[in-house]
Amino acid sequence: MEKTIEIDGVNMRYDIEGCGQQPVIVMHGWGCKASTVAVLAQAAAGSATTVYNLDLPGFGASTEPADVWGVDRYTQFIEEFCRRLGIADPVLIGHSFGGRIAIMFASRNKTSKVILVDAAGIKPRRPLRYYVKVYTFKAAKKILPLLLGKSRGNEAIDRMRGKAGSSDYRQASPKMRAIMSRVVNEDLTGLLPSIKAPALLIWGEKDTATPMRDARIMERLIPDAGLVSYPEAGHYSFLDRPAQTAAVIKSFLKPE
């Protein structure tokens, strides 16, 4: 069943399935939407669960935030969503960017279980060329408007952004680009020990966006965490291995 809710001026679309006592919130990655993670939502569906599969603000059919949100503001939005719908002690399933929200939510709210799938949140190791590119761009932002004038300078800066940015960045709107620039630099490592709920980590060993190093850090720092990895899967490991992922999630969610 498709529904929409308005919170703080943002209309969020979401799918709801089931009427069981255990709520499950599914959150997709950057540049995706609820349908992208339907495999995860279907794996969690059952007679004991009610699954909420979200188009996060700024993605799918949901409207963009009015301001440049960080992970904390996205988490506040999900917390308010839970209050509005009377959702307590949910299971959280987060892929990539959705994993960031799941980590922060679980670090400060009572949560039944957490499933992180190729989740973001660990500060990456950057090669020297990355920092050269970043500081070159920062210098250009100051110098080009002075050399070319404000209008032409900003056009040149936008061209630099388009050439240097990832495909996700290039395809995003100006507002979502600003949000992406903010959230990708947030390191959530310090929150991991505060996650008290049992956590399942599902990872692709060929993931280059959130590599296995991130999974091992999460497994080490989350007090009650277990890791399942797939040798030839990438960042969308649940799409590379849908049957195995469904089986693992169903087993993890079985009542104890």
Side-chain angles (χ1 to χ4, degrees):
M1 181 187 303
E2 181 176 333
K3 292 195 173 186
T4 303
I5 188 171
E6 187 274 325
I7 300 174
D8 297 334
V10 174
N11 291 306
M12 185 176 73
R13 177 209 164 275
Y14 63 98
D15 296 322
I16 181 170
E17 180 178 351
C19 56
Q21 291 188 345
Q22 177 61 66
V24 180
I25 299 174
V26 183
M27 295 175 286
H28 59 76
W30 191 271
C32 300
K33 54 187 177 180
S35 60
T36 311
V37 291
V39 168
L40 302 176
Q42 290 163 8
S47 59
T49 60
T50 299
V51 180
Y52 304 85
N53 189 7
L54 316 181
D55 276 354
L56 292 168
F59 303 95
S62 297
T63 57
E64 292 183 1
D67 303 312
V68 179
W69 286 10
V71 179
D72 180 66
R73 186 64 186 85
Y74 268 97
T75 305
Q76 291 176 29
F77 186 93
I78 301 305
E79 289 168 341
E80 181 61 22
F81 173 76
C82 290
R83 282 191 286 269
R84 295 275 188 94
L85 274 65
I87 296 172
D89 200 15
V91 170
L92 302 177
I93 303 179
H95 171 246
S96 194
F97 171 63
R100 288 182 181 272
I101 303 171
I103 288 169
M104 185 167 285
F105 186 106
S107 74
R108 65 192 196 197
N109 294 280
K110 192 170 185 297
T111 308
S112 177
K113 293 181 179 181
V114 181
I115 302 175
L116 300 175
V117 186
D118 301 290
I122 304 297
K123 186 176 181 179
R125 290 176 176 171
R126 307 287 196 184
L128 178 61
R129 64 179 180 275
Y130 169 83
Y131 293 101
V132 171
K133 183 171 68 173
V134 167
Y135 288 107
T136 298
F137 180 72
K138 287 184 176 181
K141 285 176 69 176
K142 293 183 177 180
I143 295 172
L144 289 179
L146 297 176
L147 294 178
L148 304 177
K150 186 175 181 180
S151 179
R152 290 179 60 198
N154 287 337
E155 289 176 1
I157 291 167
D158 286 341
R159 287 195 296 271
M160 288 179 67
R161 282 196 184 101
K163 290 179 180 178
S166 66
S167 59
D168 282 341
Y169 184 88
R170 290 193 296 271
Q171 293 168 15
S173 69
K175 174 64 63 61
M176 297 308 292
R177 286 181 180 181
I179 289 174
M180 183 180 184
S181 295
R182 180 173 179 178
V183 301
V184 297
N185 290 308
E186 295 188 47
D187 185 9
L188 306 183
T189 305
L191 300 180
L192 297 172
S194 298
I195 298 176
K196 304 308 180 187
L200 168 65
L201 313 178
I202 300 175
W203 235 266
E205 295 181 13
K206 299 296 185 181
D207 188 342
T208 57
T210 54
M212 283 297 298
R213 166 184 172 268
D214 295 5
R216 295 189 181 100
I217 291 173
M218 292 184 187
E219 183 185 24
R220 175 169 54 86
L221 293 180
I222 298 173
D224 184 6
L227 172 63
V228 174
S229 64
Y230 307 135
E232 296 301 320
H235 188 55
Y236 292 83
S237 60
F238 61 99
L239 297 180
D240 293 332
R241 299 288 187 274
Q244 294 95 319
T245 299
V248 168
I249 289 176
K250 287 182 184 299
S251 176
F252 181 66
L253 294 183
K254 281 182 180 178
E256 297 178 359

